[in-house]
C-alpha cells in the first residue's frame, strides 16, 4: 500500500516576514474592501441595524457613525479621515499581528488549562482551515474540542460541524453568514442536553459576537467592514478581535499567519 504524503509544513515567519506577507497578499495593508462599503456598514450599525451588530447588544452607545469610524481607525487601521469616502481602505498589518499575539496568549492559556474550545465560522471560504488547524493544535495539546449537538437548525439551514468547525449548511453548501443565530442554536442545544458550555469560543462574525454577548470567552477575526467585534473588544465583551481581510483570493495565504500564532502560543510541537 502506498504511503500518504505528509502535509507540507509552513515555516514560522518572523514578525517582519509576516507583516510583509500580510501586505503582499492583501490580508492587511491596502485591502480589497472599498471605503464606501466600510462607511455604509458603520452607518448601518450606528442606525441600529442589528444585522451589523453581529449578535452583540450595543444599545444606544454607538449612534454616531463618526464614533464607529474612530474605533475602526484605532483598532483596525482604516483611514481616520471622515472626508475620505471612496477608494480602497486599509488594515494596519501591525494591528493584525498585535491581534494575533493576543490570540496566541489566549490559546496558550487554553492549552495550559486543558480547556474546552468551540470553533465556528461564518466565512468558510476563507477561514475554515484557519480554525481547523487551530483546533488540531489545541487537541494535540490536550484540549477538548467541543462537539456540537446534532439536528440543530438556524436561518433555514442546518448547523453542522465540519473538520471540527461549526458551519451553516444549506442545500449541501456551506454558507457565508453574519448571523448570530447558528451560535445561539449551538449554545441553546448544549444547555438543553445538560452539557457544559465551552471555556473558549474561537470564531468570527455573529458566531463570535453571540458567544461573547452570552458571557463566554470569545475571540474572533473581523474585516474592516465588520465593526461590531472591534466595538465589542473596545467595550470588553469580546476578548480579542483580529483585523484582517477574511476572504482573500487564496485561502493558503493564511498559512504563514497560522504558523506564526500557533508558534507564539507554544502549540507548534504540541
Amino acid at each position: 500500500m502506498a504511503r500518504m504524503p505528509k502535509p507540507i509544513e509552513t515555516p514560522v515567519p518572523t514578525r517582519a516576514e509576516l507583516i510583509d506577507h500580510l501586505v503582499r497578499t492583501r490580508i492587511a495593508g491596502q485591502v480589497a474592501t472599498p471605503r464606501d462599503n466600510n462607511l455604509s456598514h458603520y452607518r448601518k450599525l450606528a442606525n441600529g441595524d442589528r444585522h451589523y451588530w453581529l449578535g452583540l447588544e450595543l444599545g444606544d452607545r454607538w449612534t454616531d457613525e463618526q464614533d464607529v469610524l474612530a474605533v475602526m481607525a484605532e483598532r483596525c487601521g482604516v483611514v481616520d479621515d471622515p472626508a475620505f469616502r471612496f477608494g480602497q481602505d486599509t488594515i494596519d498589518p501591525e494591528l493584525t499581528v498585535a491581534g494575533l499575539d493576543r490570540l496566541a496568549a489566549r490559546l496558550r492559556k487554553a492549552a495550559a488549562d486543558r480547556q474546552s474550545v468551540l470553533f465556528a465560522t461564518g466565512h468558510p471560504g476563507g477561514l475554515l482551515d484557519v480554525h481547523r488547524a487551530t483546533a488540531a493544535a489545541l487537541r494535540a495539546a490536550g484540549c477538548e474540542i467541543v462537539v456540537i449537538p446534532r439536528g440543530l437548525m438556524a436561518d433555514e439551514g442546518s448547523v453542522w460541524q465540519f473538520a471540527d468547525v461549526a458551519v451553516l449548511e444549506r442545500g449541501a453548501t456551506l454558507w457565508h453568514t453574519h448571523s448570530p443565530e447558528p451560535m445561539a442554536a449551538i449554545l441553546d442545544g448544549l444547555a438543553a442536553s445538560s452539557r457544559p458550555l465551552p471555556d473558549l469560543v474561537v470564531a468570527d462574525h455573529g458566531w463570535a459576537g453571540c458567544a461573547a454577548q452570552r458571557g463566554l470567552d470569545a475571540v474572533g477575526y473581523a474585516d474592516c467592514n465588520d465593526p461590531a467585534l472591534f466595538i465589542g473588544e473596545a467595550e470588553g465583551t469580546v476578548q480579542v478581535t483580529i483585523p484582517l481581510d477574511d476572504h482573500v483570493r487564496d485561502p493558503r495565504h493564511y498559512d504563514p499567519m497560522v504558523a506564526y500564532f500557533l508558534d507564539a502560543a507554544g502549540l507548534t510541537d504540541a
Side-chain angles (χ1 to χ4, degrees), residues 4-231:
M4 293 293 291
K6 292 182 179 180
I8 298 173
E9 293 185 3
T10 303
V12 178
T14 66
R15 184 184 183 90
E17 288 170 342
L18 179 59
I19 287 174
D20 178 70
H21 172 80
L22 294 174
V23 172
R24 233 178 336 102
T25 57
R26 301 184 74 184
I27 294 173
Q30 292 281 341
V31 293
T33 312
R35 175 67 166 195
D36 55 308
N37 180 263
N38 282 347
L39 295 180
S40 171
H41 287 201
Y42 304 168
R43 184 178 311 112
K44 289 173 180 177
L45 180 147
N47 288 340
D49 187 334
R50 285 180 172 269
H51 175 76
Y52 297 92
W53 288 14
L54 302 183
L56 295 167
E57 291 298 329
L58 304 180
D60 58 359
R61 301 185 296 280
W62 298 92
T63 58
D64 186 337
E65 65 182 276
Q66 299 307 319
D67 291 339
V68 179
L69 174 60
V71 168
M72 294 303 292
E74 175 188 10
R75 292 180 176 267
C76 184
V78 302
V79 177
D80 62 1
D81 181 4
F84 175 52
R85 312 294 298 179
F86 297 97
Q88 296 311 122
D89 217 331
T90 57
I91 293 175
D92 185 343
E94 293 280 357
L95 293 177
T96 303
V97 177
L100 295 173
D101 288 337
R102 296 195 302 278
L103 169 64
R106 185 60 186 84
L107 295 178
R108 182 182 288 274
K109 174 177 171 54
D113 296 344
R114 301 293 194 269
Q115 292 185 337
S116 61
V117 188
L118 171 65
F119 289 85
T121 186
H123 235 305
L127 298 179
L128 179 63
D129 204 49
V130 173
H131 291 302
R132 179 210 59 78
T134 311
L138 284 177
R139 174 182 282 111
C143 289
E144 173 195 353
I145 305 305
V146 174
V147 176
I148 69 171
R150 294 184 177 182
L152 299 179
M153 303 291 293
D155 296 331
E156 300 180 347
S158 300
V159 185
W160 297 109
Q161 208 158 16
F162 182 72
D164 285 330
V165 186
V167 292
L168 181 67
E169 183 266 349
R170 290 183 192 165
T173 300
L174 305 185
W175 274 68
H176 171 210
T177 176
H178 286 212
S179 173
E181 294 306 316
M183 178 58 75
I186 293 172
L187 300 180
D188 291 344
L190 290 172
S193 56
S194 300
R195 291 174 54 193
L197 297 179
D199 297 311
L200 174 65
V201 173
V202 181
D204 47 70
H205 287 169
W207 304 79
C210 174
Q213 186 61 46
R214 293 204 182 191
L216 300 177
D217 284 6
V219 300
Y221 301 96
D223 210 329
C224 56
N225 62 355
D226 293 326
L229 293 189
F230 295 99
I231 288 174

